[in-house]
Amino acid sequence: MKRFIASGFGVGLFWKQLFGDKKGGGSLASFLFMVVIYFLKLDIFLLSIIFIILLIIYFLTVDDNFAASDPSWITLDEIIGMSLVSLASPS
């Protein structure tokens, strides 16, 4: 379950299944998160809550042994980054 969450709720594992260890899983996860935010039209308060929850989940699920080598299947950090950037966006 931790692996599924660390992979951006399966996005990173899907990328690894299709493309192996090639880079790009984080870009896909960020794009999909951006599409979800766009269609849900979340306000800043809800985005802040999502950011905090995702950050806590990241620290609870991502093992230091995995994160040290920064494998392409760990995409939750890119999703967290996209949620932080979305907070600063006026749109």
Side-chain angles (χ1 to χ4, degrees):
M1 185 62 150
K2 285 185 175 185
R3 189 174 176 99
F4 176 76
I5 294 171
S7 70
F9 306 99
V11 175
L13 295 175
F14 175 73
W15 181 269
K16 185 176 181 179
Q17 188 72 21
L18 289 179
F19 301 106
D21 289 331
K22 291 184 179 180
K23 299 292 181 181
S27 299
L28 176 64
S30 297
F31 175 74
L32 291 176
F33 185 76
M34 179 186 64
V35 169
V36 168
I37 287 176
Y38 177 77
F39 284 113
L40 292 180
K41 298 187 187 321
L42 301 175
D43 62 356
I44 291 178
F45 178 73
L46 287 176
L47 281 174
S48 300
I49 298 296
I50 289 171
F51 171 73
I52 292 169
I53 289 171
L54 287 175
L55 193 62
I56 292 169
I57 289 172
Y58 179 81
F59 286 123
L60 292 175
T61 59
V62 176
D63 190 8
D64 289 339
N65 296 331
F66 288 131
S69 62
D70 193 27
S72 61
W73 63 267
I74 295 181
T75 59
L76 187 58
D77 54 339
E78 281 85 3
I79 293 172
I80 292 170
M82 184 57 72
S83 66
L84 180 63
V85 170
S86 299
L87 286 173
S89 173
S91 58

